[in-house]
Amino acid sequence: MKFSVCIKQVPDVSAPISIKDGTLTQDSDRMVLDAYSASAVEEALVLIDKHGGEVQVVLVGPEKAKETIRKALAMGAASGVHIVVDDVSGLDSGAYAEILAAWHKKSDYDIILTGKQSQDTDAGLTGGMLAWKLELPYAANAVGLTYDNEGGKLTVTRQGDSGQEMIELTSPCLVTCSNDMNEPRIPSLKGIMQSKRKKVETLQLGDLGLDPDTLSSKTSKTKGQGYKEVPGREPGKKLEGDPEELVTELVGLLENEAKVL
Amino acid sequence: MSKILVHIATSEGKIKRSSLEVMSYCKTLADKNSMTLEAVVLDPDPAKYTDQLNTYGPDKVYQVKHPIFKNHLNAAVIEALSKVIDQSGPRLCAFASTESAKEVIGALAARHDAAAIPDVAGFTINNGSVDAERPVMAAKVLSKTSSSSELVLVSVRSGSYDLAENPGNAETVAVDFDFDESGLRAVLKEVLSSAGDKVDLSEAEVVVAAGRGIKDENGRKLVEELAETLGAAIGASRAVTESGLFPATLQIGQTGKVVSPQLYFAIGISGAIQHVAGMANSKVIVAINKDPDAPIFQYATYGLVGDLFKILPPLTEELRKIKGA
């Protein structure tokens, strides 16, 4: 069983950020492995531990993103593919999906895993777009995966709107992973040492028959127009005192001022 | 005339409030831009929603009737919506940002060579461009995103727009839809509903949400008693679902569910930005926290500084008297 896990390098979203003239500035320029991607890598590793096989990770991003591929290799992935795009700022989900589709059309895989969204944009489009372009059955927002070796069937538990849905996919197929499905492992020292000897294939967009200008001007159908602050809420009332008083005051306000009881 | 097509999400025989919010706003948008407003319902019995839909003034309602829509299966939803998109030829197709919509919007966009802008906090149409704002970077900022594509798909976070009735009388169109499941490589085996789903969290009018401050089983019980008294849905912060006190399905926040009830109780929740992103559209927010500097107080309509273990029992008692009366 061969897993192809699409991973992304993202800014550390926990670092403070500010906006100036519509442009985003982060206090730290630290880039990390996207948390949803990490859950996808972890889940693939757990499944091959049980059923055999190997995990390859695929990343679209600048030269610097190679360190993120190394991180996934240190977790236990066998090999990496780095599709080098120096400036990803003009690419939307559609362009990422186009690039990943071009790669997968010429590669072997049984199951493609992606994050259900990525921490920087929270869009969650690429997985479904990629599945469509590759004509694969898919399920999104998976919180659990089990594999049946004999039938080549993957059972996905996904978080739906009312409860969880269990969907049986026939491979080849695609699943997008929630960060609720597992706790990604921290690479061991041995894993880190081994990762340095693992193979990372480097490709340019031209190798996939793609043109960077077309990807940003035509394939990307949405354009970023800058950033703005999230609007705040009107300041409320802060109540202090002993519990009985607080309760009386709150219930009065809910009944008479907010009128929500 | 160009068109706006709104997908209508239903649950247990009712149109979801979040879909009605999208309808309400799109009606205004359609009138302002001289566009036609159309709606599409996929359901085993789509006709039963027509009266309710007419309250929101669509010009036309596409009804796609099939038993498969009893549950969500992405292949069937994509097939049906594609057919209606081809038939209607909308400029804009709007969804409520439900898990079901989120699962299909990317594939639909790829299939129709359309733009997709998911999970928006707001959007409008300016000179043929669809301009939207959506939270990014762990919901710390809003990204302004626009598209001039011939077809743009947008999904809207719940609570972004108010309900506004606008009665009309829509033309209804029954759409022929055959769906052959036999060749499908994705089969829905089972739907598991968890105990916490008694009240649909994303549609609830009142939500009682628990954070790290509830500590243990005892705290959980106090939260459950308050929720039961109010007929509220229970939610939780990520810290609490990770600890196992509440199931992950109840997580509210940027990576969980987005809720927009009339009344939201944040019990022992500090108010990390990722959590706030999932509840900031609530109308009235009550926060109970012993740390007077907790960030949640910046969002609270009424902030109670104190020990939740001492406040919740008399609060539940007091509310029980009111609700029982």
Side-chain angles (χ1 to χ4, degrees):
Chain A
M1 179 166 51
K2 184 171 172 192
F3 280 92
S4 176
V5 184
C6 304
I7 61 172
K8 191 174 178 186
Q9 187 185 55
V10 295
D12 178 3
V13 297
S14 64
I17 48 180
S18 53
I19 300 171
K20 205 181 165 199
D21 301 327
T23 312
L24 215 57
T25 330
Q26 266 202 298
D27 287 7
S28 149
D29 57 0
R30 201 165 91 92
M31 300 294 282
V32 296
L33 171 62
D34 166 57
Y36 302 96
S37 302
S39 281
V41 172
E42 174 66 31
E43 200 64 17
L45 292 171
V46 169
L47 284 171
I48 62 157
D49 274 350
K50 215 179 267 175
H51 301 285
E54 67 169 51
V55 177
Q56 181 168 67
V57 294
V58 186
L59 177 142
V60 176
E63 194 53 48
K64 183 179 154 54
K66 193 144 277 160
E67 67 197 29
T68 291
I69 298 180
R70 290 285 168 212
K71 168 90 187 277
L73 297 179
M75 286 173 71
S79 61
V81 175
H82 186 183
I83 303 166
V84 181
V85 178
D86 289 326
D87 180 11
V88 291
S89 63
L91 303 186
D92 73 357
S93 309
Y96 274 97
E98 186 76 9
I99 298 167
L100 291 168
W103 159 253
H104 284 95
K105 276 176 186 162
K106 50 174 265 179
S107 94
D108 289 329
Y109 59 84
D110 297 301
I111 297 165
I112 298 177
L113 298 184
T114 74
K116 73 159 175 164
Q117 61 202 56
S118 61
Q119 285 180 289
D120 51 352
T121 67
D122 283 326
L125 294 169
T126 307
M129 288 174 160
L130 180 59
W132 180 260
K133 286 171 191 279
L134 296 172
E135 296 178 39
L136 298 176
Y138 76 98
N141 200 10
V143 290
L145 286 184
T146 55
Y147 185 71
D148 165 21
N149 248 337
E150 283 169 27
K153 307 265 194 215
L154 186 70
T155 302
V156 183
T157 306
R158 78 175 284 269
Q159 184 58 48
D161 287 304
S162 44
Q164 298 185 331
E165 295 152 12
M166 291 180 75
I167 298 135
E168 188 180 82
L169 301 178
T170 307
S171 65
C173 59
L174 184 147
V175 177
T176 81
C177 301
S178 164
N179 53 341
D180 288 327
M181 82 196 305
N182 54 42
E183 194 62 49
R185 66 194 68 185
I186 310 291
S188 64
L189 190 60
K190 190 174 156 211
I192 294 168
M193 297 307 288
Q194 284 173 344
S195 76
K196 293 177 179 160
R197 294 193 300 274
K198 288 177 177 171
K199 189 174 157 240
V200 178
E201 185 181 351
T202 303
L203 294 165
Q204 306 299 320
L205 289 174
D207 299 331
L208 296 169
L210 297 168
D211 164 54
D213 291 339
T214 310
L215 283 170
S216 56
S217 66
K218 199 155 168 289
T219 316
S220 296
K221 295 186 188 306
T222 61
K223 302 277 172 256
Q225 309 284 3
Y227 298 87
K228 60 182 264 194
E229 304 281 354
V230 178
R233 286 177 63 97
E234 278 188 34
K237 290 184 174 140
K238 207 175 197 177
L239 318 176
E240 295 183 58
D242 79 67
E244 299 285 344
E245 279 170 25
L246 287 178
V247 166
T248 309
E249 197 172 351
L250 174 67
V251 171
L253 287 166
L254 291 176
E255 259 192 314
N256 305 320
E257 188 178 81
K259 299 188 169 47
V260 284
L261 288 184
Chain B
M1 198 195 291
S2 69
K3 298 166 182 172
I4 299 175
L5 178 66
V6 178
H7 169 257
I8 302 300
T10 61
S11 165
E12 303 194 341
K14 275 168 54 188
I15 299 176
K16 289 200 171 194
R17 185 171 50 115
S18 46
S19 283
L20 294 175
E21 289 167 1
V22 177
M23 276 296 285
S24 300
Y25 176 65
C26 285
K27 175 68 180 164
T28 316
L29 201 56
D31 287 349
K32 203 172 91 187
N33 291 282
S34 309
M35 296 169 90
T36 308
L37 180 63
E38 302 188 337
V40 50
V41 189
L42 318 180
D43 197 83
D45 180 17
K48 71 178 172 203
Y49 305 101
T50 309
D51 285 349
Q52 198 187 356
L53 267 177
N54 270 331
T55 318
Y56 293 86
D59 298 293
K60 191 186 273 189
V61 177
Y62 294 93
Q63 300 174 340
V64 192
K65 181 174 178 164
H66 201 287
I68 200 161
F69 299 128
K70 185 174 181 292
N71 292 304
H72 169 78
L73 182 65
N74 61 29
V77 174
I78 291 165
E79 204 54 43
L81 286 176
S82 278
K83 192 165 183 184
V84 175
I85 286 172
D86 286 340
Q87 208 166 326
S88 153
R91 172 74 185 79
L92 178 84
C93 185
F95 298 77
S97 202
T98 62
E99 289 302 334
S100 306
K102 281 186 190 171
E103 195 185 36
V104 301
I105 196 167
L108 264 179
R111 178 164 174 167
H112 290 272
D113 203 22
I117 313 179
D119 240 359
V120 306
F123 72 103
T124 187
I125 302 175
N126 288 317
N127 301 321
S129 164
V130 176
D131 300 333
E133 293 178 356
R134 50 188 310 279
V136 297
M137 299 296 286
K140 286 176 182 164
V141 295
L142 291 174
S143 158
K144 298 195 273 185
T145 306
S146 67
S147 178
S148 305
S149 275
E150 280 170 32
L151 171 60
V152 181
L153 312 181
V154 168
S155 72
V156 184
R157 294 159 71 88
S158 75
S160 300
Y161 295 108
D162 292 330
L163 293 180
E165 295 190 356
N166 220 320
N169 199 358
E171 174 196 347
T172 55
V173 180
V175 179
D176 277 336
F177 184 68
D178 282 327
F179 190 74
D180 182 13
E181 274 184 273
S182 62
L184 228 51
R185 289 184 294 146
V187 182
L188 178 67
K189 301 301 261 189
E190 203 180 342
V191 178
L192 314 162
S193 51
S194 74
D197 291 346
K198 269 185 290 194
V199 183
D200 185 351
L201 186 53
S202 50
E203 292 285 304
E205 292 292 316
V206 184
V207 171
V208 175
R212 200 190 295 274
I214 67 157
K215 288 187 189 141
D216 52 22
E217 295 286 333
N218 194 17
R220 185 177 78 178
K221 212 169 132 243
L222 293 176
V223 164
E224 285 171 346
E225 282 168 359
L226 175 62
E228 202 186 329
T229 304
L230 290 164
I234 292 179
S237 72
R238 185 163 178 83
V240 176
T241 56
E242 276 186 340
S243 76
L245 275 173
F246 286 104
T249 53
L250 299 188
Q251 190 192 323
I252 291 171
Q254 184 70 353
T255 67
K257 288 197 163 119
V258 175
V259 301
S260 54
Q262 293 294 304
L263 178 57
Y264 187 92
F265 283 86
I267 312 286
I269 290 178
S270 64
I273 192 83
Q274 287 87 342
H275 178 78
V276 169
M279 49 69 89
N281 281 342
S282 304
K283 189 160 170 275
V284 174
I285 296 172
V286 175
I288 302 177
N289 205 299
K290 66 179 178 200
D291 174 8
D293 297 322
I296 193 72
F297 288 123
Q298 294 163 23
Y299 305 94
T301 321
Y302 306 121
L304 276 60
V305 183
D307 183 350
L308 69 92
F309 289 90
K310 294 201 176 101
I311 294 172
L312 286 188
L315 178 60
T316 301
E317 183 60 35
E318 198 61 31
L319 291 170
R320 194 173 282 151
K321 280 186 216 156
I322 293 170
K323 291 286 167 183

